[in-house]
Amino acid sequence: AFTLPELPFAKDGLAPHISAETLDYHHGKHHNAYVTNLNKLTEGKPEAGKSLEEVILAAEPGGVFNNAAQVWNHSFYWNCMSPNGGGDPEGGLLEAINRDFGDVATFKTEFKQAAMTQFGSGWAWLAIKDGKLEVTKTPNGENPLMHGMQPILGCDVWEHSYYIDFRNARPKYLESFIDNLVNWEYVEGMM
Ligand code: FE
């Protein structure tokens, strides 16, 4: 069976940017529901014995895909944040960002722009394609894996990510995410 991973930080660890109340709902209700639904949909089927990535890459559009992708996306999203996050990337990640975007400020602007302009529910990503970093966005549960890209940073822009803390102000949530929450060491480790 697929399982809900623990949050990699304390429930109040991302406050005041993302509150414990948001995480109660986002991890405890939304993420948990995707896990429960995926287990129901795959019970007794070959998918139940496969990895999440295998299920995502093999699934037709529909319930199994949506729930599997959302389980993967949320686990990845939690890992992309840290109570000690924010600031600027360093080391090899900084070099790669400078190489592919010009500088960190340009990358951050592009990332926030992608996240802002994802109409309705979806995700913004920094991903690697053919050895190059790219900013991309996807609707609903889609993620870069199915487009032959390796995601290294993901930001949930479904309203449930920010409505309690920021109401409808997606741009303020994105500023907080990129400036105060991103775990750049984890992102670099995914390269
Ligand atoms: Fe979400």
Side-chain angles (χ1 to χ4, degrees):
F2 300 97
T3 55
L4 179 70
E6 300 262 332
L7 286 172
F9 36 74
K11 190 69 75 69
D12 58 359
L14 303 183
H17 313 292
I18 291 179
S19 63
E21 186 184 359
T22 289
L23 291 172
D24 260 338
Y25 279 86
H26 201 176
H27 177 259
K29 307 278 187 203
H30 292 283
H31 193 181
N32 191 48
Y34 296 127
V35 173
T36 305
N37 291 338
L38 181 62
N39 283 325
K40 273 189 205 152
L41 289 166
T42 57
E43 196 177 0
K45 296 184 178 157
E47 289 101 318
K50 293 185 176 164
S51 73
L52 215 40
E53 287 86 351
E54 286 172 325
V55 173
I56 291 167
L57 292 175
E60 301 291 322
V64 170
F65 172 80
N66 290 338
N67 286 286
Q70 284 291 74
V71 172
W72 191 95
N73 292 348
H74 284 85
S75 301
F76 184 67
Y77 169 64
W78 308 134
N79 284 326
C80 286
M81 296 186 286
S82 161
N84 308 311
D88 283 337
E90 295 175 3
L93 176 60
L94 176 62
E95 284 173 25
I97 286 174
N98 287 339
R99 180 193 67 206
D100 295 334
F101 295 94
D103 54 42
V104 171
T106 303
F107 154 68
K108 285 185 173 181
T109 301
E110 269 192 44
F111 187 87
K112 284 184 283 188
Q113 186 65 15
M116 276 276 293
T117 56
Q118 173 52 45
F119 185 74
S121 297
W123 295 79
W125 309 91
L126 177 61
I128 302 176
K129 186 169 193 185
D130 302 328
K132 194 168 174 285
L133 295 180
E134 280 183 32
V135 164
T136 183
K137 59 184 174 179
T138 55
N140 303 314
E142 239 181 67
N143 72 38
L145 294 173
M146 54 190 291
H147 301 294
M149 304 171 85
Q150 169 65 43
I152 65 170
L153 170 65
C155 182
D156 191 343
V157 298
W158 287 55
E159 276 189 349
H160 64 219
S161 312
Y162 57 88
Y163 211 82
I164 291 170
D165 299 317
F166 299 95
R167 293 304 172 196
N168 60 323
R170 190 189 288 189
K172 286 188 183 165
Y173 158 67
L174 297 172
E175 292 278 341
S176 280
F177 177 84
I178 205 85
D179 289 338
N180 303 114
L181 294 175
V182 174
N183 182 345
W184 293 113
E185 283 178 19
Y186 178 78
V187 176
E188 185 174 7
M190 292 304 295
M191 285 176 69

